[in-house]
Amino acid sequence: VRAEIDALKRNPSNIPAPMQALRARLSADTGVPEAALPFVGELLQVRSEDADWRGAIERVLHGFAQSLLVDERHYADVADWVNRTHLGIRLVYYRVRDNEHALPGRAPAAGSLLHKLELREHAFAGWLRRELGKRFDYDCVDSAKALRHAERAITREGQVKHPGDRFEKDDRHAVNDRRRWLLGFDNRDKLALFEEEGLALAQRIAACDADVAAL
């Protein structure tokens, strides 16, 4: 919890501390600025008017949100470093090529989760919009019945219908557990959650110390 709080204070990002630490190592060793290596989650957020869908959208985008975006001019340095370094963690990164000429795909349907996303103004915005359109054009539906009739869709409760009649609901964590949310342009809400948890843990530790001293 302390590591998360330190990372949240150091950088206005919701990406987990171990991933941010890995990026810092990569930057220090290669000379590529951290600002040139954004995580997908730092460039996206759910629109405020669609906040009730955020938990489900976070689930669908969780893996992609932790992916690093690498511009073509930095790709060789990053690829060499990743290859020779024992990372101690899983890393996915994308080589962003022809970013200026990234063409939009087909327009998403009215109920698509893509309409619930806001993209940061960034050099990778065109590439990211195209990639989201190819991979995450999921309908947002209100019931399991509607889910069955969609090609790919999500419910607010976090059940996902993937293409090919594959369904998924990952309830290892609550769909609205905001500590696991990764999207967003700032992290004030997440920092407040971890500071509250840190205070509670500190109080428990002090109580345990007092019990040990009494024994």
Side-chain angles (χ1 to χ4, degrees):
V1 170
R2 186 179 294 118
E4 289 293 341
I5 290 172
D6 290 344
L8 289 163
K9 287 182 174 178
R10 186 170 57 250
N11 194 342
S13 171
N14 290 298
I15 301 300
M19 298 301 297
Q20 291 198 49
L22 178 64
R23 177 173 60 183
R25 283 174 56 201
L26 191 164
S27 175
D29 290 351
T30 62
V32 178
E34 286 190 59
L37 299 168
F39 289 101
V40 168
E42 296 170 340
L43 306 181
L44 289 175
Q45 67 181 14
V46 177
R47 297 182 184 278
S48 57
E49 60 267 30
D50 295 306
D52 57 335
W53 282 96
R54 181 165 177 182
I57 292 172
E58 289 271 357
R59 277 192 179 180
V60 174
L61 294 177
H62 191 81
F64 188 52
Q66 296 185 77
S67 303
L68 205 64
L69 300 184
V70 181
D71 190 82
E72 175 69 15
R73 66 183 183 274
H74 300 309
Y75 165 72
D77 291 336
V78 171
D80 288 344
W81 182 86
V82 170
N83 198 56
R84 68 173 182 267
T85 305
H86 178 71
L87 306 178
I89 196 172
R90 181 177 183 266
L91 172 67
V92 175
Y93 68 93
Y94 287 85
R95 179 183 184 179
V96 180
R97 293 192 273 190
D98 298 324
N99 182 54
E100 297 82 0
H101 308 293
L103 298 175
R106 66 181 178 88
S112 173
L113 75 78
L114 300 180
H115 292 303
K116 303 183 187 303
L117 295 175
E118 182 179 355
L119 274 66
R120 182 192 292 275
E121 290 187 12
H122 192 275
F124 293 158
W127 180 93
L128 183 55
R129 187 173 289 108
R130 183 185 62 184
E131 198 68 19
L132 287 166
K134 288 194 302 184
R135 298 178 53 192
F136 297 103
D137 187 5
Y138 284 75
D139 291 331
C140 296
V141 299
D142 293 324
S143 68
K145 181 179 179 180
L147 197 72
R148 293 195 293 272
H149 299 291
E151 179 184 359
R152 50 183 176 180
I154 63 171
T155 65
R156 285 184 181 84
E157 294 77 17
Q159 186 173 185
V160 184
K161 162 73 184 310
H162 299 288
D165 285 333
R166 174 174 163 250
F167 295 81
E168 176 185 6
K169 190 164 189 274
D170 184 356
D171 278 342
R172 288 176 292 179
H173 302 275
V175 70
N176 289 318
D177 183 356
R178 292 181 293 160
R179 294 171 302 175
R180 289 182 51 79
W181 289 359
L182 305 179
L183 308 180
F185 303 159
D186 70 70
N187 60 13
R188 288 170 293 183
D189 291 344
K190 193 170 185 177
L191 175 58
L193 284 173
F194 274 97
E195 286 181 330
E196 183 180 339
E197 184 178 0
L199 178 61
L201 288 169
Q203 291 171 343
R204 286 176 56 193
I205 291 168
C208 288
D209 287 344
D211 288 344
V212 170
L215 287 168

